[in-house]
Amino acid sequence: ALLFPTRLKVVPHEFSDRASFRSWLLDDDGGFRNTFTRDIRAREQVTAPFVWFAPSDDGHDVEDFLGGHDDTLAWCREFMSPRDEIKPNYPVADMMDDGYTKDHGYDYDLVVIGGGSGGMAAAKEAAVLGAKVACLDFVKPSPAGTTWGLGGTCVNVGCIPKKLFHIGSLLHESVRKDTPSFGIRLGEPNGASATDELSGIVPDPSTQMRWELVRENIQNYIRGLNFKYRVRLREKEVTYFNKLAKFTDKHTIEAVDKKGRSSLITAARFLVAVGGRPSPLSCEGAEHAISSDDVFAMEKCPGKTLCVGASYISLECAGFLAGMGLDVTVAVRSILLRGFDRECADKIGDYMVDHGVRFKRDVIPSKLEKIETGQTKVLFSDGTEEVYDTVLAAVGRMADTDKLGLESVGVETNPKNRRIIGKFEQTHCPNIYAIGDVLDKTPELTPVAIQAGLYLARRLFGGDKEAMDYQNVCTTVFTPIEYACVGLSEEDAVAKYGQNNIEVYHREFVPLEWSLSMSRSHNAAYTKVIVDKSPQENVLGIHYVGPNAGEVMQGYGTSMKQGLTLKTLTDTVGIHPTSSEEIVTLSITKSSGEDAAAGGC
Ligand code: FAD
Ligand code: NDP
């Protein structure tokens, strides 16, 4: 009943047609050669639907139980390799032979070190593909003593709490800035007259966002996710250990639990997915600063806050704290959002200033000191001094590899950031692999870690060959005005192709949802598309500064992967009235010198 692919591989055999596969399936007496179905039967759990092989059309009675959903998926992946047919030119991962054989004699086929976004995805996928897998996750408390549950950075101290605080702060801002213009009067009985506020543009200063309440709700939600992750690992038959791992040789780790009890675990293959941790400040008194590992779980409102650093984490935290009504300053060493499109980064800075964030430019803290009030006095490199309730250091992250024993197994790391050096996620020790934030020269983003983990598991246990593609990954900065992009910044496009060989289409606009409010910055939203000057005008980069930026950009990311041209983009009929339609209706070029400010509908 299953279609025969052009080439079918059953390790260690390879079949080029249905007949040779069938003759392998049958033993000398015409019975079913039952090795892999027996393996599957031995597993304890089978999930619906139940799948049998169909009797063959040429008279053989090849009827046997394949298994449930996961077994069928695994069978299809292993035996049919559909990617060969769909994407003939996919990038192939030419990995070193790691010596893996099914009868290796170790405790596990694969041990994953790190139960974050990447590690859990890889562990579950490998298990679905029939591998015997264990996953170790252990959280070392931050220097300020914060700790958390299973799921890694994203769910506990990264994307999830950050985005929830951000959403809350946007709501709060909307209540203050937008709702009056829509005639919404919070706390007034229905039908109350608002004649004396006819303009409806008076922000309501009395609305409050209570730190303790939002923090508690977010932390409860995270605890629920921690529990779900454990359940999902169990469902996929991945053995979970809440233990800290360290290599003792290339097939063995020492695993230590909370009470210091140690045991040895062996595996044919290891996957290192330990992520990273925040870098501390290097000045005197650095211990008085907290990091993103602490801020989301703070029992008390952070109060007047200094955010040190000017990239994703610092600006996102500064944005949501200011949106909650707190007094926030950002200490910028050089520029905002290094590596991003300059024009877009500056628009974010301008918007944040309007949003109430203060920027202290060209400074770094030189000394932090606790004072009697419990606050922190900060001496800056320009000689100024200021006092804050909280200092949040967001000056980059280091891979969490220093106590992993990597040197003892020949896994090399980049001394600048301790990230593991590898090719196709394989380290210099062929049976040890790495994915996610710990792998050097890859974007530190959750979906990247997950995708790399899935692809690797399919290559190791599913017969796939497809390499992870780290190009044209979309990203969003969740600042008060959000910013999303895919592809090259204008600066990178100029550097790569030359100023005369690129064109930039752009537009400033007011998102419709902000158009009634007088409290919103004028034309703060912006989009630009960078193309080359080849006849087909290939799109090199898409940038969008405005509401719901991540939602807007995701689909354009798919188009970029297919090779997007300006004509395809502008041939696309927009959805009206949306902010995303601004991208498909771009017509003003930078070189024309025309005003990029959009008119109305
Ligand atoms: P992690 O998720 O860090 O998981 C590693 C796990 O391994 C951790 O649980 C760690 O405790 C454990 N571990 C470490 N050493 C050992 C050991 N020796 N033994 C056992 N376990 C060990 N990305 C986005 O895409 N979108 C966002 O909006 C976004 N926001 C972010 C906001 C913040 C504040 C931060 C800090 C990051 C954000 N990121 C975001 C980045 C994203 O969180 C990471 O890219 C992602 O979590 C990396 O996943 P990972 O699997 O590589 O590692
Ligand atoms: P980054 O490495 O991106 O940026 C570090 C920032 O700190 C830069 O502005 C840098 O300035 C500054 N800095 C570095 N050292 C010092 C110092 N000693 N004193 C003052 N400033 C300093 O780190 P982040 O911590 O912001 O983010 C880490 C990664 O996490 C990101 O690269 C991203 O991949 C991921 N992330 C993703 C998010 C998302 O997808 N929305 C959100 C949050 C994080 P300079 O430019 O001068 O070097």
Side-chain angles (χ1 to χ4, degrees):
L2 293 159
L3 291 176
F4 196 84
T6 48
R7 185 176 59 74
L8 181 66
K9 195 172 174 198
V10 180
V11 179
H13 305 281
E14 204 153 316
F15 305 96
S16 54
D17 57 44
R18 196 178 179 94
S20 58
F21 176 56
R22 190 176 300 290
S23 71
W24 176 82
L25 268 182
L26 302 175
D27 62 22
D28 292 344
D29 303 326
F32 189 67
R33 195 185 131 98
N34 218 357
T35 42
F36 62 85
T37 48
R38 251 204 311 273
D39 286 351
I40 288 167
R41 276 219 194 97
R43 297 173 64 169
E44 280 169 15
Q45 285 180 344
V46 174
T47 52
F50 302 125
V51 179
W52 281 263
F53 287 93
S56 69
D57 41 14
D58 54 359
H60 284 299
D61 186 20
V62 188
E63 190 167 355
D64 212 293
F65 184 52
L66 173 61
H69 167 270
D70 292 351
D71 301 315
T72 307
L73 215 62
W75 191 92
C76 291
R77 290 218 171 98
E78 186 163 0
F79 293 97
M80 303 185 80
S81 221
R83 278 144 206 274
D84 287 358
E85 289 159 33
I86 301 164
K87 276 168 67 177
N89 297 321
Y90 66 69
V92 169
D94 191 10
M95 296 197 290
M96 291 181 278
D97 180 5
D98 67 1
Y100 182 81
T101 54
K102 282 220 161 176
D103 51 354
H104 48 67
Y106 298 109
D107 298 340
Y108 293 94
D109 296 324
L110 175 71
V111 164
V112 178
I113 306 174
S117 312
M120 280 198 303
K124 288 186 285 185
E125 186 72 358
V128 165
L129 291 167
K132 187 178 176 200
V133 185
C135 177
L136 289 86
D137 189 65
F138 190 91
V139 180
K140 288 164 276 183
S142 74
T146 314
T147 185
W148 51 88
L150 177 62
T153 303
C154 169
V155 65
N156 294 288
V157 287
C159 328
I160 299 299
K162 180 276 308 288
K163 180 91 189 270
L164 287 170
F165 272 108
H166 169 70
I167 293 169
S169 137
L170 290 186
L171 278 172
H172 187 224
E173 189 185 19
S174 238
V175 166
R176 286 184 302 154
K177 290 189 173 168
D178 302 328
T179 52
S181 322
F182 287 94
I184 300 166
R185 297 291 182 273
L186 298 174
E188 279 184 9
N190 277 344
S193 147
T195 43
D196 53 349
E197 290 176 64
L198 200 56
S199 64
I201 55 168
V202 186
D204 178 357
S206 65
T207 55
Q208 281 182 26
M209 188 167 167
R210 294 261 306 278
W211 175 270
E212 292 78 6
L213 292 179
V214 63
R215 173 219 171 266
E216 187 60 19
N217 288 338
I218 291 174
Q219 291 301 324
N220 283 342
Y221 175 67
I222 291 172
R223 277 190 281 274
L225 290 179
N226 297 146
F227 177 73
K228 274 189 200 156
Y229 290 142
R230 288 182 83 134
V231 171
R232 281 187 203 148
L233 285 180
R234 201 167 47 231
E235 278 171 359
K236 301 285 181 201
E237 298 178 43
V238 174
T239 308
Y240 163 63
F241 296 107
N242 182 205
K243 293 183 179 182
L244 187 69
K246 181 182 178 179
F247 283 99
T248 58
D249 67 51
K250 67 180 190 163
H251 286 290
T252 314
I253 50 166
E254 182 189 16
V256 181
D257 71 11
K258 267 186 223 154
K259 295 186 175 156
R261 289 174 301 211
S262 151
S263 55
L264 295 180
I265 301 174
T266 63
R269 287 166 164 161
F270 284 94
L271 172 58
V272 182
V274 295
R277 295 299 286 263
S279 305
L281 294 175
S282 48
C283 63
E284 190 185 335
E287 67 280 8
H288 301 308
I290 60 159
S291 74
S292 56
D293 280 356
D294 309 298
V295 67
F296 306 110
M298 281 176 78
E299 295 284 343
K300 267 180 59 193
C301 177
K304 181 180 175 189
T305 303
L306 173 72
C307 297
V308 186
S311 195
Y312 279 97
I313 297 181
S314 181
L315 296 188
E316 290 183 342
C317 291
F320 80 71
L321 292 172
M324 294 181 77
L326 303 182
D327 178 345
V328 180
T329 302
V330 177
V332 185
R333 175 169 78 171
S334 58
I335 52 169
L336 302 190
L337 290 169
R338 180 178 299 286
F340 285 92
D341 189 274
R342 279 299 82 233
E343 206 174 4
C344 296
D346 289 342
K347 284 190 183 291
I348 290 168
D350 293 346
Y351 188 90
M352 287 181 72
V353 170
D354 284 352
H355 186 77
V357 176
R358 188 166 73 101
F359 285 93
K360 219 170 150 48
R361 301 267 181 176
D362 303 319
V363 292
I364 54 168
S366 348
K367 186 179 172 190
L368 269 55
E369 192 188 332
K370 270 271 175 244
I371 55 176
E372 315 77 62
T373 55
Q375 294 166 298
T376 306
K377 185 162 82 180
V378 182
L379 172 66
F380 290 98
S381 52
D382 63 359
T384 54
E385 266 183 14
E386 287 175 19
V387 172
Y388 296 93
D389 296 315
T390 303
V391 177
L392 170 66
V395 292
R397 293 170 63 82
M398 280 277 179
D400 196 6
T401 50
D402 60 337
K403 295 204 175 95
L404 256 181
L406 293 178
E407 53 302 325
S408 68
V409 288
V411 171
E412 286 182 34
T413 55
N414 178 344
K416 280 192 193 148
N417 54 22
R418 302 192 201 131
R419 291 176 80 176
I420 291 175
I421 296 167
K423 195 173 174 193
F424 302 122
E425 295 82 36
Q426 188 173 36
T427 72
H428 289 137
C429 180
N431 73 311
I432 300 178
Y433 298 83
I435 53 161
D437 283 9
V438 79
L439 184 61
D440 203 24
K441 296 193 169 31
T442 63
E444 292 169 73
L445 297 170
T446 281
V448 170
I450 293 174
Q451 184 101 323
L454 293 177
Y455 274 44
L456 180 68
R458 288 171 195 162
R459 294 205 302 273
L460 296 183
F461 299 103
D464 267 19
K465 291 199 165 57
E466 193 165 357
M468 167 70 190
D469 182 4
Y470 292 99
Q471 301 304 309
N472 283 337
V473 172
C474 307
T475 183
T476 298
V477 189
F478 294 97
T479 32
I481 188 161
E482 296 174 359
Y483 167 39
C485 60
V486 59
L488 298 180
S489 65
E490 189 174 336
E491 292 73 25
D492 286 348
V494 169
K496 189 166 175 188
Y497 294 91
Q499 181 73 63
N500 295 332
N501 300 317
I502 65 150
E503 183 56 276
V504 177
Y505 291 80
H506 66 157
R507 181 176 292 163
E508 288 174 346
F509 62 100
V510 185
L512 188 64
E513 53 267 50
W514 294 356
S515 54
L516 299 189
S517 170
M518 297 296 283
S519 318
R520 294 281 186 178
S521 324
H522 183 66
N523 269 1
Y526 180 69
T527 183
K528 73 157 75 161
V529 169
I530 303 150
V531 301
D532 66 19
K533 282 192 179 165
S534 67
Q536 59 275 26
E537 291 185 289
N538 296 301
V539 176
L540 307 174
I542 305 182
H543 301 262
Y544 167 94
V545 178
N548 306 310
E551 315 296 340
V552 167
M553 196 52 62
Q554 186 69 81
Y556 292 109
T558 307
S559 313
M560 286 288 277
K561 278 196 91 71
Q562 308 297 317
L564 183 63
T565 64
L566 185 69
K567 177 156 168 39
T568 314
L569 188 72
T570 50
D571 277 352
T572 308
V573 177
I575 303 172
H576 188 66
T578 62
S579 295
S580 190
E581 73 177 316
E582 302 291 345
I583 298 177
V584 295
T585 53
L586 282 171
S587 62
I588 298 168
T589 60
K590 260 197 179 175
S591 61
S592 73
E594 267 181 67
D595 185 3
C601 183

